[in-house]
Amino acid sequence: DYDKGVLHPRVIAATMQAAAARGLPTVVDPKFRSFFAYRGATVFKPNRRELGAAIPGIDLSSARALVEAVGRLQVENLLLTLGAGGMVLVNRDAAVPPHLIESEAREVYDVSGAGDTVTAWVGTALAAKATPIEAAEVANIAAGVEVAKRGVATVSPAEVLAAHRGA
């Protein structure tokens, strides 16, 4: 969702309802205008700036505030990307502690496309029956590969596997 007007609220609602009816996971990388339109999303993936703009005054370092944000958004999981700080996965169940995924130290060449890489890899992993934590962990590795490339780049399964193995 790039706030270009293609994803009209009715399209978003119909798509979310259709996915829920079929038991399909939904992964959303929201932008400001439609930020609260994705109720029921499996994984809702804003970055720090986007979440802060949508929920002014939120303490992004507070686990409690992040759990409250999940409730306010009415999603299953919030995957908040933190740039060089990695990402944190927050489940709607307050009894499940937030899961911090640290970024791996590597040379960053260009961060363009990193969020899209995370979204794509989370969706792919969920479609392959990964848990949200597993999906986020794999996506974190993929994002680390992507930022080491020039411009918006694709990341292959072989590259993710090599990065995971430390090759």
Side-chain angles (χ1 to χ4, degrees), residues 138-162:
V138 169
N140 185 55
I141 295 168
V145 172
E146 199 278 342
V147 300
K149 297 180 177 188
R150 180 181 302 230
V152 177
T154 60
V155 177
S156 73
E159 290 173 306
V160 171
L161 188 57

Side-chain angles (χ1 to χ4, degrees), residues 116-142:
D116 292 331
T117 298
V118 169
T119 303
W121 276 87
V122 166
T124 301
L126 290 174
K129 304 300 183 201
T131 66
I133 289 176
E134 292 166 337
E137 294 275 358
V138 169
N140 185 55
I141 295 168

Side-chain angles (χ1 to χ4, degrees), residues 84 102-108 140 144:
E102 295 182 10
S103 60
E104 296 182 24
R106 63 176 64 240
E107 186 174 338
V108 175
N140 185 55

Side-chain angles (χ1 to χ4, degrees), residues 32-52:
F32 192 76
R33 271 192 300 182
S34 58
F35 208 83
F36 293 92
Y38 296 98
R39 288 176 300 283
T42 308
V43 176
F44 188 85
K45 192 227 66 70
N47 63 35
R48 181 182 319 176
R49 180 186 50 77
E50 292 163 339
L51 186 61

Side-chain angles (χ1 to χ4, degrees), residues 3-165:
D3 270 350
K4 303 294 184 194
V6 174
L7 295 179
H8 187 277
R10 289 186 303 220
V11 172
I12 294 169
T15 302
M16 297 301 292
Q17 290 171 357
R22 290 169 178 78
L24 299 174
T26 51
V27 181
V28 179
D29 187 358
K31 297 302 175 226
F32 192 76
R33 271 192 300 182
S34 58
F35 208 83
F36 293 92
Y38 296 98
R39 288 176 300 283
T42 308
V43 176
F44 188 85
K45 192 227 66 70
N47 63 35
R48 181 182 319 176
R49 180 186 50 77
E50 292 163 339
L51 186 61
I55 305 176
I58 186 172
D59 179 359
L60 298 176
S61 65
S62 165
R64 181 178 178 170
L66 293 176
V67 169
E68 288 173 3
V70 172
R72 186 167 172 193
L73 294 163
Q74 299 178 38
V75 297
E76 293 179 30
N77 297 280
L78 169 67
L79 181 59
L80 180 63
T81 56
L82 305 169
M87 54 184 82
V88 61
L89 182 69
V90 184
N91 187 273
R92 70 176 164 202
D93 181 354
V96 177
H99 182 74
L100 178 63
I101 305 164
E102 295 182 10
S103 60
E104 296 182 24
R106 63 176 64 240
E107 186 174 338
V108 175
Y109 194 82
D110 188 341
V111 298
S112 301
D116 292 331
T117 298
V118 169
T119 303
W121 276 87
V122 166
T124 301
L126 290 174
K129 304 300 183 201
T131 66
I133 289 176
E134 292 166 337
E137 294 275 358
V138 169
N140 185 55
I141 295 168
V145 172
E146 199 278 342
V147 300
K149 297 180 177 188
R150 180 181 302 230
V152 177
T154 60
V155 177
S156 73
E159 290 173 306
V160 171
L161 188 57
H164 175 67
R165 292 181 174 158

